[in-house]
Amino acid sequence: MSSTVNVVRYTGLIGGILYGISHRRTLQEQENHRKAEHAVHHREELIKQARQAWTDKQAASKGSGLITNPDDPNFDLEKVLAKWEAEYK
């Protein structure tokens, strides 16, 4: 084979390898970006669920008229324990 053919062959090989490396980096950056966005979205969903659960819990405790603050003079430990026992059964 002539030296020109070998130069073209190896130039093509090196060009293909460099293209493959560049393309892989691009794909990896896209995947990392997608994963980061997914993690943020998942975190937002968890926060939304936690807020909803907290508001439901607050609404349930306000609706019963039960005082859960131990510093309040009208606090009744037996009522609070009975309510918590009923909730977790």
Side-chain angles (χ1 to χ4, degrees):
M1 292 218 175
S2 71
S3 62
T4 307
V5 173
N6 281 338
V7 169
V8 171
R9 180 184 295 166
Y10 285 110
T11 303
L13 176 64
I14 292 171
I17 290 172
L18 292 176
Y19 171 76
I21 291 170
S22 172
H23 187 64
R24 184 184 179 285
R25 283 184 181 168
T26 303
L27 292 176
Q28 189 65 44
E29 287 175 5
Q30 290 174 354
E31 180 65 17
N32 290 344
H33 182 69
R34 188 192 65 78
K35 282 183 180 180
E37 284 185 359
H38 178 71
V40 168
H41 178 67
H42 181 66
R43 206 173 308 125
E44 288 173 353
E45 287 296 318
L46 290 176
I47 290 170
K48 184 179 175 182
Q49 290 174 0
R51 284 184 179 161
Q52 183 64 37
W54 184 80
T55 55
D56 292 346
K57 184 177 179 183
Q58 293 298 321
S61 67
K62 285 183 181 180
S64 66
L66 182 66
I67 299 171
T68 57
N69 182 4
D71 295 330
D72 192 330
N74 296 328
F75 176 73
D76 188 4
L77 182 61
E78 291 179 14
K79 288 181 182 178
V80 172
L81 291 176
K83 181 179 183 290
W84 286 347
E85 185 178 328
E87 285 179 0
Y88 295 114
K89 279 189 176 182

